[in-house]
Amino acid sequence: MAIVTAQRLVTIERHIAEQEHLHPHATGEFSRLLRDLMLAFRLIAREVSRAGLNDILGLTGTTNVYGEAVRKLDAYAHEVIVRAMEHGGHLCAMASEESDGLIALPPTRPRGKYILLFDPLDGSTNIDVNVTIGTIFSIYRRRDPALTTDATLEDVLRPGCEQVAAGYVCYGSSVTLVYSTGNGVDVFTYDPTLGEFFLTIEKLRIPRRGTHYSINEGNAKRWAPELQDYIDYLKTPSHDQHRPYSLRYVGSAVADVHRVLHYGGIFMYPADRANPSGKLRLMFEVNPLAFVTEQAGGRASNGCCRILDIRPESLRQRVPVFLGSPEDVAEAEAFLQGRHILQRLRTPEA
Ligand code: P6P
C-alpha cells in the first residue's frame, strides 16, 4: 500500500484534474460534479464534528421510505447533497436512500449526463454515541449522453459494473474520503483547518486474505446452516495459526468495510429467516462499496454471484453481501454453496 508522504500535497481538486487527463474525451463536467460533491462532504463533516454542540443529534420525528426513524443529521446530510448537486447542471437524475424515487431537479437548470445515487449518512443509529458513520455515493453515466432530458428510472436501474465512479466518506477519528473512477482506489484525509482533502494512500490494495470477520452475530440463530458452517470454521483454531479469526463489527457498513479494505478479511450482511434479502440496499450501499472493493483487488458477492453483475429490479432492493479479501470471499462462497471440502467430507454419499 503506497502511503503518500505529505510532501506531495496532492489535494482532491488536483487529483481530480490529474484524473481528468487520463480520459482524453473528458469534458470537465465529471470533474465539476466531483467538486460539487466534495463541497457537500465538507459541510457534512463540519456538522458531524460538532453534532453534540449544535442540537443536531436525535430524531426528526419522521421516518424514511423503509420506515426507519430519520435522525436530524440524516436529514441535514440529505439536504446538503441535494442542494450542492441540483444546480450544477451535471445530473440527469439523483436519488437518495432517505427519499422515495428520483429527486426532482430544478426545471430551470440544464440536464447533464450523470446519475448520482447516495446514502447521505450510513450508520446513523451510531450518530448519538460518537461512532464512525459515513456517506456513500455511486455515479453512472446515462446511456445516451446526447440526451438533455430527465433520466428515467430505467436509466438509473443499472448493474453496478456500469458505475463510472463510487466511494464513501468516513466521519470518524479523522474524515477520510475513499473513491475510485475505475483506475484503482485512492484515499484522502480531510484537514478541517484548511478545508482540504489531501491524498494519503494511492492505489489502495486489499490483502489477499485477512484475519478478521465482520457480521452481526446477534442474528446467528436465524442464519442458514451453510453460513453457520462458515462462521464456525472461522472460529476453529487451525494448525497454521491462521484461525480463529477475530470478530470486528461496528454496525456501520462504511466503518466495517473501511477496516476490511485496509486490513483484509470479510464483511457480511447475509440473508436470514427475518431478512430473506439481507438488509443493505443494492443501489445506495452495496454497489458502490462493491465497486471500491473490486477496484482495490477484492471480491464482492451475494453468496453465489458477483454483486456488480446483479440487474437491479427496484431502487430499494436489498441484497445479501459478502465482500473483502478475494480468498476469504471465495471461501465463504464455497461454504454457502455447500461445496467446501469440510462439508463434502461430512455429507454421507447419496
Ligand atoms: P444491524 C446501518 O444502519 C446499516 O444500514 C449499515 O451501515 C450497517 O452495516 C447495518 O445497517 C447494521 O445493521 O442489523 O447489524 O444493526
Side-chain angles (χ1 to χ4, degrees):
M1 186 188 319
I3 304 287
V4 175
T5 57
Q7 280 69 13
R8 283 190 56 196
L9 288 184
V10 177
T11 63
I12 183 71
E13 280 73 15
R14 183 173 141 198
H15 187 265
I16 290 170
E18 288 170 356
Q19 292 273 338
E20 191 176 302
H21 296 155
L22 292 175
H23 308 283
H25 62 280
T27 61
E29 186 179 353
F30 183 66
S31 299
R32 289 188 291 275
L33 181 158
L34 287 177
R35 286 193 190 104
D36 291 351
L37 205 48
M38 297 308 134
L39 171 62
F41 296 157
R42 290 180 173 92
L43 290 166
I44 297 169
R46 184 184 64 180
E47 289 310 310
V48 169
S49 68
R50 60 188 196 187
L53 304 172
N54 53 9
D55 186 31
I56 202 162
L57 292 178
L59 302 175
T60 59
T62 62
T63 57
N64 64 15
V65 293
Y66 309 96
E68 298 164 337
V70 176
R71 293 176 174 277
K72 293 177 184 176
L73 261 178
D74 271 328
Y76 173 80
H78 169 87
E79 280 305 310
V80 159
I81 294 174
V82 172
R83 297 281 167 266
M85 301 308 296
E86 64 182 352
H87 289 285
H90 316 306
L91 299 178
C92 54
M94 184 164 41
S96 166
E97 185 186 289
E98 288 300 329
S99 64
D100 201 5
L102 301 183
I103 295 167
L105 296 169
T108 56
R109 301 295 298 150
R111 296 301 183 255
K113 54 175 174 273
Y114 295 103
I115 295 163
L116 173 67
L117 304 170
F118 60 93
D119 180 355
L121 213 54
D122 176 71
S124 51
T125 52
N126 290 306
I127 288 174
D128 299 346
V129 291
N130 202 23
V131 170
T132 295
I133 51 182
T135 298
I136 308 172
F137 64 96
S138 170
I139 300 171
Y140 293 82
R141 185 182 292 115
R142 77 182 313 168
R143 287 195 176 96
D144 180 353
L147 290 177
T148 56
T149 55
D150 283 353
T152 64
L153 192 56
E154 186 197 357
D155 295 322
V156 175
L157 292 179
R158 311 263 287 280
C161 57
E162 294 180 15
Q163 294 172 99
V164 293
Y168 60 86
V169 183
C170 265
Y171 309 105
S173 52
S174 67
V175 176
T176 306
L177 165 67
V178 180
Y179 92 109
S180 173
T181 57
N183 301 296
V185 175
D186 296 304
V187 180
F188 297 79
T189 303
Y190 185 56
D191 179 339
T193 64
L194 296 173
E196 287 287 1
F197 283 96
F198 286 101
L199 181 64
T200 43
I201 298 175
E202 205 165 14
K203 303 303 175 249
L204 174 67
R205 299 298 291 175
I206 189 171
R208 303 262 330 135
R209 179 181 284 274
T211 56
H212 293 118
Y213 74 103
S214 188
I215 192 170
N216 184 342
E217 287 258 8
N219 298 326
K221 296 296 184 189
R222 301 195 299 229
W223 292 340
E226 293 78 8
L227 178 58
Q228 301 273 6
D229 287 347
Y230 175 56
I231 303 300
D232 290 344
Y233 166 78
L234 293 180
K235 293 176 178 178
T236 305
S238 59
H239 296 302
D240 64 3
Q241 310 302 317
H242 193 77
R243 287 179 286 124
Y245 277 35
S246 297
L247 172 62
R248 295 287 184 276
Y249 191 71
V250 176
S252 190
V254 171
D256 286 317
V257 171
H258 193 63
R259 181 195 54 253
V260 166
L261 287 178
H262 283 73
Y263 294 162
I266 184 169
F267 168 75
M268 299 169 268
Y269 208 106
D272 62 40
R273 286 198 301 276
N275 303 287
S277 299
K279 175 181 181 182
L280 303 189
R281 291 78 174 188
L282 173 64
M283 299 305 291
F284 298 108
E285 295 167 312
V286 180
N287 266 338
L289 294 176
F291 182 83
V292 171
T293 300
E294 287 201 0
Q295 283 292 315
R299 186 180 175 115
S301 164
N302 65 356
C304 63
C305 65
R306 184 186 181 220
I307 289 284
L308 296 184
D309 289 338
I310 295 174
R311 308 201 68 76
E313 293 165 5
S314 80
L315 267 182
R316 293 161 55 176
Q317 179 175 348
R318 299 173 194 260
V319 292
V321 57
F322 302 82
L323 68 77
S325 295
E327 292 178 13
D328 285 306
V329 175
E331 194 158 61
E333 287 177 312
F335 272 97
L336 292 164
Q337 295 163 26
R339 53 185 171 78
H340 192 276
I341 182 69
L342 292 179
Q343 293 168 307
R344 292 213 299 266
L345 290 176
R346 191 178 62 204
T347 308
E349 288 305 314

